[in-house]
Amino acid sequence: MKQLIKNINHLLPTGELVKHDILIENDKITKLAPVIKEQADREIEGNEQLAVPGFIDVHIHLREPGGEHKETILTGTKAAARGGYTTVCAMPNTNPVPDTVAIVQALHQKIDNDAVIRVFPYAAITKQLQGKELTDIPALAQTDIFAFTDDGVGIQTANQMFQAMKLAKAYNKAIVAHCEDNSIVYGGVVHDGEVSERLNVPGIPSLAESVQIARDVLLAEATGCHYHVCHVSTKESVRVIRDAKKAGIHVTAEVTPHHLLLNESDITTVDTNFKMNPPLRAKEDQEALLAGLLDGTIDFIATDHAPHAAHEKEQGMLHAPFGIVGLEHAFSLLYTHLVLTEKVTLQQLIAWMASKPAATFGLPYGTLLEGSIADITLIDLQKSITIDKNALYSKGKNTPFHGWSAQAAPTLTMVAGKIVYEGGK
């Protein structure tokens, strides 16, 4: 099947926008040129919108199986498609946990049946995510899993992480880490700083994250394993990762939109939509995260999309679960508050959401070139939106950005030549 997308704006490596047409044959881009006159089975009018490679998010929670009241593979991938994402990687904190080959195979079948975009599942590092016994990493590595993680909980002992890294390295898989030393969390629910004092709730020290990263980068150096740090939130963590990269250690890292756009001072009331882990840190941490992204210390952006049911988030700051949703408006928020304010370029933002995560993990996606897989997102940069939690495709309505205005929104998402989202449907 041939499809022709006419009259789009194409972002060149120089940052220049040029008018182009895109010819797609089956699942590949076969031609990218100022004017394409070939006949096609379907012609799509681009209306001078921006065409970019489909976004890639290596850190989301789909909740299924076991948490279908929060999100399902279907609703989560619909939300991702609306946000312009064509590939996502699903974390393993489900019930059952994908910690055996049989469970991973069953999960793949469910993904094949229900997902509207491409989904790669993670496998757990430890059985049941309990941090007691390693999974059968050699066997799981032979299945089509993305990487290994116990996201949501840090690996508490150096020996366990050391053994996991050695096995992951042997089977060419990455270890993806939620970094948190439980011995110094102290029951915290927000950042240990101004906000914890003001709200009179326990705080999570920055040190709980950074000390575990410092331990792990040395283990990664010893094993040669690809070690990826989830949702970096502190200036100390940025410094440790920067130093590790300078030392030649194979460490990569991600940052979330909410840690780039918010800090602890934005929490003005006891609102659990601002409760996430890691928590919103101090302003100087927020500034260090953007600086780390700009200088390459942090490799790309991932949402940590974490939906919860309304009744769960209504339990108060001490008892409500951590996490917010993030897939549907990540680009709009980042474009509005980082690109339009000239803190970053459009070219940088697209790279952090598409080509950089692909390159980091060796995925054959994230480019808009002749010969590329036809993962394409069209974005109306002139479109103004107001974020309405009640209009989200995700089952989770837990967002701190409800009521925010933004500019730019994806209008069409195509995965391997198949349109999965178009014009609000």
Side-chain angles (χ1 to χ4, degrees):
M1 178 179 176
K2 283 188 178 182
Q3 299 179 85
L4 181 60
I5 306 178
K6 297 287 292 182
N7 303 315
I8 57 92
N9 272 310
H10 180 218
L11 186 64
L12 297 179
T14 59
E16 180 186 2
L17 285 173
V18 295
K19 301 291 190 296
H20 269 74
D21 296 345
I22 305 173
L23 183 66
I24 299 149
E25 296 187 42
N26 298 320
D27 64 345
K28 296 280 182 65
I29 297 171
T30 55
K31 195 170 185 180
L32 190 63
V35 178
I36 299 174
K37 295 183 177 180
E38 291 188 36
Q39 293 296 309
D41 302 297
R42 176 193 290 165
E43 188 169 303
I44 301 161
E45 176 53 53
N47 294 312
E48 298 187 2
Q49 297 178 92
L50 177 67
V52 300
F55 300 143
I56 297 168
D57 193 338
V58 305
H59 189 153
I60 74 164
H61 300 266
L62 291 177
R63 305 301 188 198
E64 189 175 10
E68 288 85 354
H69 65 291
K70 301 172 188 275
E71 191 78 286
T72 65
I73 291 167
L74 178 61
T75 60
T77 56
K78 282 185 174 182
R82 183 190 188 190
Y85 290 91
T86 53
T87 301
V88 295
C89 303
M91 289 296 176
N93 53 344
T94 53
N95 184 17
V97 173
D99 58 4
T100 69
V101 170
I103 294 171
V104 168
Q105 289 173 339
L107 179 57
H108 272 296
Q109 187 62 55
K110 187 69 174 172
I111 289 167
D112 290 343
N113 291 340
D114 292 356
V116 302
I117 67 169
R118 191 180 296 108
V119 178
F120 295 121
Y122 282 89
I125 296 172
T126 68
K127 293 181 179 180
Q128 298 295 304
L129 303 178
Q130 292 182 353
K132 295 177 180 177
E133 185 180 355
L134 291 181
T135 57
D136 188 347
I137 289 175
L140 287 164
Q142 305 304 313
T143 66
D144 192 13
I145 59 137
F146 181 68
F148 290 93
T149 187
D150 270 12
D151 181 60
V153 286
I155 299 295
Q156 296 304 302
T157 72
N159 179 59
Q160 191 167 69
M161 182 59 96
F162 185 47
Q163 300 304 324
M165 283 187 179
K166 285 196 292 186
L167 287 167
K169 169 63 176 176
Y171 291 91
N172 197 31
K173 292 291 183 181
I175 291 289
V176 175
H178 171 113
C179 295
E180 189 171 27
D181 186 324
N182 292 344
S183 70
I184 49 176
V185 170
Y186 307 126
V189 294
V190 295
H191 176 56
D192 183 23
E194 180 272 329
V195 66
S196 63
E197 294 179 7
R198 174 163 45 84
L199 298 181
N200 193 30
V201 293
I204 303 172
S206 294
L207 206 58
E209 173 180 295
S210 56
V211 296
Q212 201 163 84
I213 297 173
R215 177 200 75 182
D216 287 353
V217 294
L218 293 174
L219 295 174
E221 182 179 37
T223 59
C225 178
H226 176 193
Y227 170 66
H228 179 76
V229 186
C230 293
H231 44 47
V232 176
S233 73
T234 80
K235 61 182 186 296
E236 295 87 358
S237 298
V238 175
R239 187 178 74 226
V240 170
I241 295 164
R242 182 179 290 122
D243 289 346
K245 285 192 168 188
K246 288 178 181 176
I249 300 170
H250 191 180
V251 55
T252 57
E254 72 195 33
V255 64
T256 71
H258 47 276
H259 287 108
L260 290 169
L261 301 178
L262 300 168
N263 63 59
E264 63 174 350
S265 66
D266 292 297
I267 308 175
T268 56
T269 62
V270 183
D271 182 351
T272 60
N273 287 315
F274 287 85
K275 182 181 179 182
M276 66 280 290
N277 190 9
L280 298 176
R281 303 288 188 181
K283 184 173 177 58
E284 55 263 33
D285 294 301
Q286 180 188 15
E287 292 170 347
L289 295 173
L290 181 57
L293 196 54
L294 287 165
D295 72 14
T297 299
I298 298 173
D299 295 86
F300 56 78
I301 296 169
T303 66
D304 191 11
H305 174 82
H308 292 290
H311 72 271
E312 295 168 327
K313 275 293 193 178
E314 290 167 357
Q315 296 177 83
M317 196 65 93
L318 290 177
H319 302 292
F322 292 100
I324 67 170
V325 293
L327 284 168
E328 293 176 61
H329 299 110
F331 178 83
S332 302
L333 288 166
L334 293 165
Y335 178 78
T336 302
H337 295 280
L338 295 184
V339 176
L340 292 183
T341 57
E342 300 184 349
K343 293 178 181 176
V344 310
T345 67
L346 177 58
Q347 185 183 10
Q348 286 173 316
L349 179 58
I350 299 302
W352 292 328
M353 295 183 71
S355 61
K356 290 291 184 69
T360 298
F361 287 97
L363 299 174
Y365 315 113
T367 58
L368 193 67
L369 301 167
E370 291 182 357
S372 297
I373 297 290
D375 289 358
I376 301 170
T377 296
L378 297 188
I379 300 170
D380 183 350
L381 293 179
Q382 308 309 315
K383 185 178 179 68
S384 296
I385 64 168
T386 299
I387 295 173
D388 179 0
K389 66 181 181 181
N390 299 306
L392 296 176
Y393 287 11
S394 172
K395 280 190 173 186
K397 313 303 178 187
N398 46 308
T399 174
F401 298 110
H402 176 66
W404 281 43
S405 296
Q407 185 171 321
T411 62
L412 181 145
T413 306
M414 175 182 284
V415 180
K418 179 183 177 182
I419 295 174
V420 295
Y421 172 81
E422 184 177 15
K425 296 181 181 179

